[in-house]
Amino acid sequence: MNHLAQAEKVVVVGLGVTGLSVVNYLQRQASPPAIQVIDTRAHPPGEEKLPAGVSLSAGQWQMDWLLAADLIVANPGIALSTPELQTAIAAGIPVVGDIELFAQAVDQPVVAITGSNGKSTVTSLVGEMAAEAGIKAGVGGNIGLAALDMLDQGNALYVLELSSFQLETTASLELVAAAYLNLSEDHMDRYNSLADYGQAKQRIYRHARLAISNRDDAATLPDPAWTGKQTSFGFDDQDYGLIEHQGEEYLAVNGMPVMPSRDIALVGRHNVANSLAALALADAAGIDRDAACRTLRRYTGLPHRCQRVVQAHGVDWVNDSKATNLASTLAALSGLSIPGKLHLLVGGDSKGADFSQLKPVLETLNVQLYCFGRDGHRFLGLSNAPVVVETLDQAMALAASDATSGDMVLLSPACASLDQYPNFMARGDAFAELAHSLKDQVQGAQAC
């Protein structure tokens, strides 16, 4: 149902980049509705950019606004279980998100990606594949541009990263293909269980022509009642997988070789899986296979994801600030081999996660653990003699004083950043800046 077509009064809950994109989209309608914005922050980001005539209630809920609305558009950061939204829903007022508005307006093919980890890499990779093939694609959603801001820009394809939060308020998004990459514990402060979190992600398959799942993660398989087309990716020789060909490992489709896995520019075994998922999406979207492979050979990844920011005096400083949950950090550590010691920086907002799975991995490494931030204490007991400090700056200073040639200082915090930073990008930028200032303080630096 196109709720917007019948709405004379719309309340947007939550401002910021997404909220502003919704307001601007509503104002672009042929017959714009009356728009009111509610944000419980006293000074919400973007308030100075609100168009004239849009009312803002900051610092508190306005239940009279909600209950008088024809439609509520909620920011994905606000759970549907919020009592104020539940009161409105009980009163029969529809609550949707910006992706649902996008779904009702888009007139070109869309592919979408969800998962606990890797979705930003796969989304960006498919966007790069499209560009390499000469296809103008809008790439955004949960990363980059807000979905509504990409409309009416002449795009022939849309590639969306979708979080579980966005999928909660999306009901009618039709997709050429939907990829569900993996499921691991995250956002346990918002969901009742891992299964509850996984079901939110399953919503991506609802109106997809092709469901792309991970053969190595049963949680990503479509519901048994699914009747649409499906394919999968994984580390065996089925569908999008791996085979032995000419004496080496190749990416393959239905058992036919595509390219050597060693040619992938992205580093890490998890990125082999990401590359297979991207190939499946590219094929579904009609992206030329040769262009897709050229992209795999050159695309080195996103900032803040296993990104070496400094290499000096034999010490690597690596920014993996995008590792905001346990599985991301486990992926960064998988197969890691360095000649010296690993100085691992962890901590921040744990989102209620259990980090015990790190212990057996850390036991295989020569590692010094530095725990910082609000939930740094939750990493105690995972390795010998962990260091607990207040801030990332303090952790990095201590790592610099102990590091020597052959070592790596790795920020892979397994936590969100919001206890001390606006977002993981700001945390990663802070790491990179401080790494440059500390690089000459490592042991033996003066002798190098």
Side-chain angles (χ1 to χ4, degrees):
M1 177 185 295
N2 189 337
H3 298 293
L4 182 57
Q6 304 169 25
E8 296 182 4
K9 183 182 292 185
V10 178
V11 173
V12 178
V13 179
L15 200 49
V17 172
T18 301
L20 275 175
S21 76
V22 172
V23 169
N24 292 333
Y25 173 74
L26 294 174
Q27 288 218 317
R28 293 198 300 269
Q29 301 307 297
S31 299
I35 307 168
Q36 296 173 313
V37 178
I38 296 172
D39 196 303
T40 57
R41 293 168 290 190
H43 300 288
E47 63 178 319
E48 73 284 355
K49 298 179 182 178
L50 277 176
V54 175
S55 303
L56 170 65
S57 173
Q60 62 183 350
W61 287 94
Q62 280 286 70
M63 288 307 303
D64 56 333
W65 288 10
L66 289 178
L67 295 175
D70 299 310
L71 176 67
I72 296 170
V73 184
N75 187 288
I78 301 167
L80 280 177
S81 59
T82 301
E84 290 80 3
L85 291 183
Q86 282 297 305
T87 299
I89 291 170
I93 300 166
V95 178
V96 302
D98 68 307
I99 301 301
E100 180 62 19
L101 295 183
F102 172 89
Q104 295 171 8
V106 68
D107 58 1
Q108 296 294 329
V110 185
V111 297
I113 301 96
T114 196
S116 298
N117 297 291
K119 56 186 179 292
S120 295
T121 295
V122 174
T123 301
S124 300
L125 190 49
V126 175
E128 291 288 325
M129 289 173 169
E132 181 71 21
I135 299 170
K136 185 176 181 183
V139 182
N142 194 47
I143 60 167
L145 294 172
L148 292 170
D149 287 345
M150 297 191 296
L151 293 171
D152 304 320
Q153 300 298 313
N155 293 308
L157 173 70
Y158 294 91
V159 186
L160 298 184
E161 174 186 322
L162 297 179
S163 69
S164 59
F165 298 171
Q166 290 170 310
L167 289 167
E168 288 176 13
T169 53
T170 302
S172 63
L173 180 62
E174 296 186 2
L175 300 171
V176 171
Y180 185 173
L181 303 180
N182 46 60
L183 179 69
S184 61
E185 189 177 78
D186 199 4
H187 306 298
M188 291 299 100
D189 52 349
R190 176 146 165 174
Y191 293 102
N192 295 325
S193 64
L194 184 62
D196 186 31
Y197 172 42
Q199 280 303 306
K201 289 192 173 294
Q202 281 280 339
R203 292 173 64 91
I204 197 169
Y205 291 144
R206 280 194 167 189
H207 301 288
R209 294 183 209 165
L210 177 68
I212 302 170
S213 60
N214 180 350
R215 288 192 301 280
D216 299 317
D217 190 338
T220 69
L221 297 174
D223 186 275
W226 170 262
T227 57
K229 293 181 180 180
Q230 59 179 299
T231 190
S232 61
F233 64 94
F235 289 151
D236 58 25
D237 61 0
Q238 303 301 302
D239 294 346
Y240 290 80
L242 301 172
I243 62 169
E244 187 80 10
H245 179 67
Q246 297 180 341
E248 63 178 314
E249 184 182 79
Y250 266 65
L251 275 63
V253 179
N254 297 322
M256 299 299 295
V258 174
M259 62 176 282
S261 61
R262 62 176 171 82
D263 286 356
I264 297 171
L266 289 165
V267 176
R269 196 65 177 167
H270 60 294
N271 279 319
V272 175
N274 289 337
S275 297
L276 290 167
L279 272 179
L281 286 158
D283 284 351
I287 296 171
D288 177 72
R289 177 74 66 74
D290 288 339
C293 289
R294 288 195 300 271
T295 303
L296 288 177
R297 288 183 167 94
R298 67 165 176 77
Y299 181 73
T300 56
L302 295 164
H304 310 293
R305 193 71 180 103
C306 292
Q307 175 191 31
R308 182 189 290 122
V309 294
V310 176
Q311 187 178 44
H313 310 297
V315 176
D316 286 332
W317 298 75
V318 178
N319 169 21
D320 191 34
S321 183
K322 200 174 189 304
T324 58
N325 57 38
L326 171 65
S328 288
T329 296
L330 287 171
L333 298 178
S334 176
L336 186 65
S337 177
I338 57 176
K341 181 188 292 185
L342 174 65
H343 303 266
L344 179 60
L345 314 176
V346 295
D349 175 5
S350 68
K351 298 176 286 184
D354 174 8
F355 298 111
S356 59
Q357 290 182 57
L358 271 176
K359 187 171 184 178
V361 177
L362 295 177
E363 287 174 346
T364 68
L365 299 169
N366 178 13
V367 63
Q368 174 61 61
L369 202 62
Y370 302 85
C371 313
F372 68 92
R374 186 179 71 196
D375 293 332
H377 65 279
R378 296 176 68 97
F379 294 87
L380 297 180
L382 300 183
S383 73
N384 292 327
V387 175
V388 181
V389 293
E390 292 282 333
T391 67
L392 174 61
D393 293 24
Q394 293 168 337
M396 291 181 67
L398 290 172
S401 68
D402 186 45
T404 189
S405 182
D407 289 2
M408 176 187 289
V409 181
L410 171 63
L411 171 66
S412 189
C415 290
S417 60
L418 298 180
D419 61 326
Q420 295 184 345
Y421 296 92
N423 48 54
F424 73 81
M425 296 86 77
R427 179 173 61 188
D429 290 340
F431 173 86
E433 182 178 353
L434 195 55
H436 281 280
S437 68
L438 290 171
K439 68 180 188 298
D440 295 329
Q441 296 183 27
V442 302
Q443 293 185 35
Q446 301 305 315
C448 293

